[in-house]
Every structure is written in C-alpha cells, then in structure tokens.
Amino acid sequence: MAGSQQAIKSRIASVDSTKKITNAMQMVASAKLNKARSHMDSNREYSDSLQELLSMVLSRTDAGHSLLKEDETKPSFVFVITSDMGLCGGYNANVFKTIQHQLKDNDILVMVGSRGASWAKARNKNIHEVLIDLNEDNAYEELAREMDKAIEMYKKGEIGSVKVLFTHYKNTLTFEPTVENLLPPTPQETTLEKRVRRETIFEPNKQEMLEQLIPMITKSVLYAKFMESKTSEQASRRMAMESATDNAEELIEKLNLEYNRIRQGAITQEITEIVSGANALK
C-alpha cells in the first residue's frame, strides 16, 4: 500500500513538472504568435495592394503573355511551407494530407521547413530544393531566388504552373492548408478595379509592364503566404501546448483522487487493526 502511494506521488510530481514545461511553452508560443501576426498584417496590406494592381492590369490585357499561360499536362512547381520544429499539433500533418490529395506525383516541390523535407524525402517525392531555418531576415531572399528559378522553368515550358501550399490563417483557432496559384496569376474583381473603370494608359506598354510586374508580385505574394503559414504554426503550437497543459491538470486531479483514496484505505485498515488488537486484549 505504501509503495502504491509513493508511486502515485512520484507520478504526480512528474506530471506537474511536465505541466510547467507545457505552460511555459504555451506562453512563449503566444508571444511569438502576437509578433508573427503583427508582421503578417503589415505585409498583407502591401501584398494585397500589389495583387489589386496586377488584377487591374490583367483585366485590360490579353492572355498572350508568356507568364499568363497554364499547361495542365505538365507538372507544377509547388512551394510547400511546413515547420522546422514539432509540438505544433496537426499543423504539419494537415499539410502532408493536402500534398497527397491535391498535388500530382510528378509535381516539383520546394520544401520549406525541415519537417516537410524529412517527410517528402522518406516518400521519394520530386524535391527540387529544401529551405530550412527561414526567418524574417532571410526568408524573402531565399524564396525570391527559388521563384526566379521557377519563372525561368515556366518560360521554357518545363512546368505548367507555379503554386504555393501554405496554411491559411483565419483566426487563432482556425487555420487550414490551402493551395494557391502564383503563375499564371488569376485576375479578380478588386476594390481598385471597382474604383477605376475608365480607360488606362500603360507606359511603356502592357507587355513590358507585365514582364516586370508579375515576377515582383509573385515573390511578394509567396513571402506573404510564408508569413501567414508561420503565424498559423505558432497558433497551432499555442493550442497544442494549451491542450497539453489542460490534460496535465486533469491527470493530476485524477491522480490526487486516487492517492487520497489509497491513503484513506490505508488509514481505515490501520484503525481496524488497532481496534481488533484492543478487542483481543479484553
């Protein structure tokens, strides 16, 4: 009986120690989430403005430009954004499911994040490049370099489109993997387009403007999706650590109840033995 009590006390101490760790990690993730969300929001305004500008230009341009033709018979060049660390719930697993369900086997992948790279290598995926440990200081430069390679392959007809698989951030509780086309860009009705209905004059001309505009905007949009994925990663990690902390507290409560039950049983047994001994002496 004493051994059981000691074992439960030891387990309570172990779970309590784990709870302190997960609680600390939850607070760290919350701080990183606030920082990542701030950077994402700041960059999103710039990225959305560029996309509106591109949509306005595309609405006044024919589809004859080399960067506006998609060939579905050819593989796509896909940037897949995952994490470099674990303990972030189903963040990476959901991205992997999307790869299996929405991408083709011959698609060319740029794996961003060591977790995704390990997963793709283990399954012999067609990996073009692996980018790990990207942060705010080097992410744009690294992603832009790979985008330049993708654009060259696209112009040569080696690939049919350029896409990005990222995790769309809706709020701190909702984020989902999303595949979005970068090339060819999809024109859409925008606020700017609604405001500007008159004839637009392009200088020097539409084709040269698109030649400069499309690569610049695709790089900015790719970086924006990277920032959005990183925000989703921290949100997922915060949720995972919060859930782990709550589970630890629940387990401690159950162990305390079990400990008290065994302790009460031991006390009752001792009292019974004392009373029995006293009665035997009468």
Side-chain angles (χ1 to χ4, degrees), residues 32-42 169 171-172 231:
K32 289 185 176 181
L33 171 60
N34 292 333
K35 183 179 179 181
R37 186 165 51 193
S38 176
H39 289 150
M40 178 192 70
D41 291 338
S42 299
Y169 177 86
N171 52 57
T172 55
T231 303

Side-chain angles (χ1 to χ4, degrees), residues 167-191:
T167 303
H168 174 52
Y169 177 86
K170 293 184 177 180
N171 52 57
T172 55
L173 300 176
T174 308
F175 24 85
E176 57 186 19
T178 305
V179 179
E180 187 171 304
N181 259 37
L182 296 175
L183 284 177
T186 304
Q188 54 188 344
E189 188 78 358
T190 65
T191 304

Side-chain angles (χ1 to χ4, degrees), residues 85-135:
M85 298 184 295
L87 299 177
C88 50
Y91 172 80
N92 290 313
N94 291 332
V95 173
F96 300 154
K97 289 178 183 178
T98 305
I99 294 176
Q100 294 175 318
H101 295 156
Q102 296 191 31
L103 301 187
K104 296 178 291 187
D105 290 337
N106 64 338
D107 283 344
I108 302 170
L109 308 181
V110 171
M111 302 304 301
V112 181
S114 59
R115 296 285 170 163
S118 299
W119 182 90
K121 288 178 180 178
R123 288 158 181 79
N124 296 318
K125 294 294 182 179
N126 187 10
I127 302 175
H128 178 267
E129 187 60 77
V130 172
L131 303 177
I132 60 175
D133 296 330
L134 297 190
N135 53 51

Side-chain angles (χ1 to χ4, degrees), residues 58-78:
L58 291 177
S59 67
R60 291 164 170 78
T61 306
D62 57 44
H65 194 278
S66 61
L67 295 176
L68 300 178
K69 300 176 182 178
E70 181 175 4
D71 188 347
E72 296 183 356
T73 64
K74 295 178 180 178
S76 297
F77 192 100
V78 188

